[in-house]
DNA sequence: AGCGACGTCACCCTCGCGGGTGACCCGGAT
DNA sequence: ATCCGGGTCACCCGCGAGGGTGACGTCGCT
């Protein structure tokens, strides 16, 4: 039985770098690469990799959404999210979306090897420096729906990030301005912000909008 | 005489990946790595690398500002910016800041080797797919001061991206709210936007704020 | 049948935002 | 000496944004 690791990142350089490192891990027989979350979803059913290393920040389907869908369809999939050092929000979100663990992108060669080896043995990964960020993990998993942005709210936030007024957003979505304002108020509450500028900033930082 | 390439990226994985590739380029004798723009500035005078590969997106001193300062102090420095596929604004900005060229992060192994080899021969690099983005290069270089954000304006924009009101920004910077509003108006004009939400979005997209 | 989340819309009210304009000071370039 | 860019501050004005509240419909779950 062969052990396969699938690497997913939109930057070829990162893919190759990871491949070089992961290929040297004892017990890893094959290393595959994918350039997008969509590709992972499409290939997983056929290739059944034992472990997936996936970047959070990707164009199109982001790492979070890709993981959520993947794990939803394939509960046995093991996903380790790769993240920059500064997006703890995304890390917490990743775990709540079904990732088995996460790694900072600036881990050393050795740490990465060890992490992959551990993950292949079925262990979940928690980077020490960010352990506290996961203290609220259970809260995230069992978080009442009231704290996740709904589709509509995300559409309104996207409109805001494009500099549109509530009225313009309403016309785009075939809604009244008052309805847009209602969604705006609700998403402000969920994000814990007071105005659209803050919402846009937080949206960018959390990767909700691009 | 040895030929040295200095790689600068905040992610160790990317550094190692690039090192693997660049080390194989004919004519390259040494490959050094740095984790931040500050480190490059500090080490350049002593090590005098023949070529620097620098990521645009880095915490602290960004790739753009690091390049600007480096080239300002050392006009003979050769810098190639590494950029994601979607930030053309930053590419144009990079060139205007003194970079000799740029590469998309998902270039192939071969393209990267060829690019490094060319750069070491003193040629500037222009990725075909983004050549048009540089049509305005001269405009950028000779751009009248009226279109670059001033230090104050950037401070105000930063405050906006942190969700602060004009009043709060004023208190932070020891200015009156009216003065903040004046800076806000001016930076809106320069960015071509109508409100702070648009300004924040554009700021994030152009890498002016993080 | 009841409940809660979501979506839609409306009304009121307050306040900060953004635009326009004018003014003064400073420093560097011509 | 003059001009211009930048910084600082002030006034007025209109409008959109944001908060509060209430309402009604549709789901899906229990």
């Amino acid at each position: 039985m062969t052990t396969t690791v699938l690497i997913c990142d939109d930057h070829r350089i990162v893919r190759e770098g990871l491949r070089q490192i992961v290929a040297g891990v004892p017990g890893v027989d094959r290393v595959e690469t994918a350039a997008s979350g969509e590709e992972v979803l499409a290939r997983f059913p056929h290739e059944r990799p034992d472990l997936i290393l996936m970047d959070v920040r990707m164009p199109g389907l982001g790492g979070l959404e890709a993981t959520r869908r993947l794990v939803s369809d394939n509960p046995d999939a093991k996903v380790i999210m790769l993240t920059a050092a500064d997006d703890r929000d995304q890390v917490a979100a990743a775990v709540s979306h079904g990732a088995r663990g996460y790694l900072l992108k600036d881990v050393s060669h050795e740490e990465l090897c060890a992490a992959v080896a551990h993950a292949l043995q079925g262990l979940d990964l928690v980077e020490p420096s960010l352990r506290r960020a996961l203290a609220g993990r259970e809260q995230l998993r069992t978080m009442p729906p009231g704290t996740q942005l709904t589709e509509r709210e995300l559409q309104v936030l996207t409109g805001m990030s494009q500099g549109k007024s509530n009225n313009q957003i309403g016309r785009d979505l075939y809604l009244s301005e008052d309805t847009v304002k209602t969604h705006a108020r609700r998403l402000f509450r969920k994000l814990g912000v007071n105005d659209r500028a803050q919402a846009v900033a937080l949206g960018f930082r959390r990767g909700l909008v691009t």
Side-chain angles (χ1 to χ4, degrees), chain A residues 52 69 73 81 83 132-133 137 147 191 193:
Chain A
I52 299 173
R69 296 193 194 177
D73 296 344
M81 299 292 297
T83 168
R132 279 171 307 172
R137 170 177 158 163
T147 50
L191 295 180
V193 300

Side-chain angles (χ1 to χ4, degrees), chain A residues 139-151 153 186 190:
Chain A
Q139 286 74 33
L140 278 171
R141 236 189 244 289
T142 63
M143 186 182 274
T147 50
Q148 291 269 5
L149 290 196
T150 67
E151 192 57 31
E153 286 160 353
R186 293 216 256 255
K190 289 182 180 177

Side-chain angles (χ1 to χ4, degrees), chain A residues 17-86:
Chain A
L18 284 171
R19 173 201 282 276
Q20 298 275 354
I21 298 172
V22 174
V25 176
V28 174
D29 304 309
R30 277 177 58 223
V31 181
E32 293 292 321
T33 60
S36 69
E38 291 86 344
E39 190 177 339
V40 171
L41 291 179
R43 288 170 52 183
F44 186 90
H46 315 99
E47 308 187 9
R48 314 290 302 176
D50 299 276
L51 177 66
I52 299 173
L53 295 181
M54 178 143 47
D55 188 18
V56 273
R57 181 185 299 269
M58 287 189 296
L61 207 58
L64 273 63
E65 183 60 18
T67 299
R68 197 190 59 75
R69 296 193 194 177
L70 183 66
V71 175
S72 169
D73 296 344
N74 312 275
D76 58 327
K78 293 178 193 166
V79 178
I80 294 182
M81 299 292 297
L82 295 175
T83 168
D86 51 3

Side-chain angles (χ1 to χ4, degrees), chain A residues 176-191:
Chain A
S176 89
E177 182 180 343
D178 278 319
T179 301
V180 175
K181 288 175 71 172
T182 299
H183 289 307
R185 254 173 311 183
R186 293 216 256 255
L187 78 89
F188 288 170
R189 284 233 169 277
K190 289 182 180 177
L191 295 180

Side-chain angles (χ1 to χ4, degrees), chain A residues 50-202:
Chain A
D50 299 276
L51 177 66
I52 299 173
L53 295 181
M54 178 143 47
D55 188 18
V56 273
R57 181 185 299 269
M58 287 189 296
L61 207 58
L64 273 63
E65 183 60 18
T67 299
R68 197 190 59 75
R69 296 193 194 177
L70 183 66
V71 175
S72 169
D73 296 344
N74 312 275
D76 58 327
K78 293 178 193 166
V79 178
I80 294 182
M81 299 292 297
L82 295 175
T83 168
D86 51 3
D87 41 10
R88 303 193 175 199
D89 285 332
Q90 291 194 344
V91 170
V95 174
S96 77
H97 280 59
R100 296 296 182 88
Y102 62 93
L103 283 172
L104 300 184
K105 267 192 182 174
D106 65 345
V107 293
S108 69
H109 192 287
E110 295 74 21
E111 288 174 306
L112 177 58
C113 290
V116 170
H118 277 103
L120 288 174
Q121 292 171 10
L123 303 173
D124 284 3
L125 297 171
V126 178
E127 245 274 344
S129 68
L130 287 183
R131 197 181 298 267
R132 279 171 307 172
L134 290 187
R137 170 177 158 163
E138 289 313 311
Q139 286 74 33
L140 278 171
R141 236 189 244 289
T142 63
M143 186 182 274
T147 50
Q148 291 269 5
L149 290 196
T150 67
E151 192 57 31
R152 265 294 191 241
E153 286 160 353
L154 201 57
Q155 290 170 353
V156 171
L157 178 59
T158 300
M160 288 181 182
S161 76
Q162 293 163 354
K164 293 174 181 162
S165 69
N166 292 336
N167 192 301
Q168 284 175 312
I169 296 171
R171 280 189 273 110
D172 288 356
L173 300 179
Y174 304 102
L175 298 176
S176 89
E177 182 180 343
D178 278 319
T179 301
V180 175
K181 288 175 71 172
T182 299
H183 289 307
R185 254 173 311 183
R186 293 216 256 255
L187 78 89
F188 288 170
R189 284 233 169 277
K190 289 182 180 177
L191 295 180
V193 300
N194 301 315
D195 58 53
R196 58 210 300 111
Q198 290 180 39
V200 168
L202 202 63

